[in-house]
Amino acid sequence: MLEICKTLHLTFGVGEVLAAKNGEEGFEIFRKENPDIVLADWMMHPTDGISLTRRIRNDSRSPNHYVPIILMTGFSEKKRVMQARDSGVTEFLVKPFTARDLYKRIAQIIERPRQFVRSEDFFGPDRRRKADAAYNGPYKRESDAKLAAAQKQRMREASLHLDTLRQKAGISKGSKIDMSGDDIDFS
Amino acid sequence: MTDKNDDHFNLTPRRKAEFFMPPNHLKNKVGFGGLSDDILNKAQALLENNTADFRPLGEMYLESMMRGVEHVKALPDSMANDDASIASILFPVMQLKANGGMFHYNLVTLIADRLVQFLEVIETIDKDAIEIIQAFHTTIRAILLGQIKGDGGTRGLDLLDALNAACYRYFEKYPEKKRS
C-alpha cells in the first residue's frame, strides 16, 4: 500500500515522496524534512495516524503545525470520521479509493484550504465547511433540501403577507410612508 | 418584545476561539491548473494493474481477527463487552475492507464492510455474534483461497446476501443489542 501511494504521488507529479512504516518513524521524518503534505494511514503500529496527527498539530518539536494531513482508512462510520476530524486531520480518504479520490483531496487542500482554529480544547483545521452563497447545485443531504424548501415557502408566505399589509395600508411597493406601527393592523 | 427570561440572553458565554488562515505555500509551489485526465487515467491504471498479491496480507488480517475472537471467547461475559475487545476483532476486519478492494478483491471489501457495520453497532459479543463473525471469517478465507477477484458475480452477491441475512436475524433476535 505504501508503494502504491508513493507511485500515485509520483504520477501526480510530486517531486519527492518520503515514506515511513509507522507514525513514530513518520514523525521523525516529518521533523527532519518538513514536507508539504502528510498522507497517513489510520492503522499503524506503534503510533497510528490519529496519534501522528495529534503530534504534528501539538508537539512543540513539530516544524509545521499547519501542514495539511490526509488520513486514509477503511472506516467510514460517522463516529470514526468525527474522531479523525477532532484529532486535527484536514481531509479524510476512505479506502478503497480511486486515483481521482486522492487527487480530489489534494486539490481541495491546495485550492480550498481550511482556516485554522485554536480553542481551549482543539487546535486544527476548521471543522465546519464554509457555506458558498453562490452555490446552486444539488444538496448533499436530503434534509438540507427540505430545509431550503421550507425556508423558501416561509419567505413566499412572508412576501404575500407583506403585500396584504401594503394593500390594507393603501401603499404600493417602494412608496415612502410616514406612519407609526399603530396605524396598521398587523393581524 | 424580549424580557429577562428570553433564552437568547440566558445562554452561557461562548468559548473563546481564535481563527486564522495559515499561508498557502503549497499553492505558490504548484501554481495554477489541475492535472489532466491523461495523468489521472494513468494513475488509475496503475492502481488497477498493480500485481501485488493480497493473499498473504489478507491471511495475516484473518489470523489477527481470529486471535481477537479467541481473546473475546476466553474472557468472562462481563469483560467481553468493552470497546477494546470489539476493537481487537474490528480493526483487522477494517483492514480487510480497506485493502481488499485496493488489490482487486472487491468482494472481500463488500463482505468485510458488512462485518464492520455489524461490529460497529453491537454492544456485546456473545456466542451468536461470534458465530456470525466466524461465518464472515470462513467466507473471506474461501474467497482468498479461491482467488475470487472482483465482486464474485452472482455467487458473490448471494454470499453477501446470506451474511447480511444472518446479521438481520441476529438483530431480530436481540434488538436490544443494537447500539442506538
Side-chain angles (χ1 to χ4, degrees), chain A residues 65-76:
Chain A
H65 299 285
Y66 308 112
V67 69
I69 302 173
I70 302 173
L71 189 79
M72 298 186 294
T73 175
F75 287 129
S76 52

Side-chain angles (χ1 to χ4, degrees), chain A residues 36 74 99 103 116 118, chain B residues 18 20 29 35 44 97 120:
Chain A
D36 294 317
Y103 171 63
F116 266 66
R118 187 190 299 281
Chain B
E18 190 188 343
F20 45 95
K29 272 192 183 179
L35 292 182
Q44 185 58 33
K97 179 211 162 185
E120 288 278 25

Side-chain angles (χ1 to χ4, degrees), chain B residues 17 32 43 50-51 66 98 100 115 118 124 133 139 144 155 161 179:
Chain B
F32 294 90
N50 87 76
T51 53
M66 277 321 280
L115 183 53
F118 177 74
T124 57
I133 295 165
T139 311
L144 291 180
R155 288 181 69 188
D161 284 346
R179 240 185 263 243

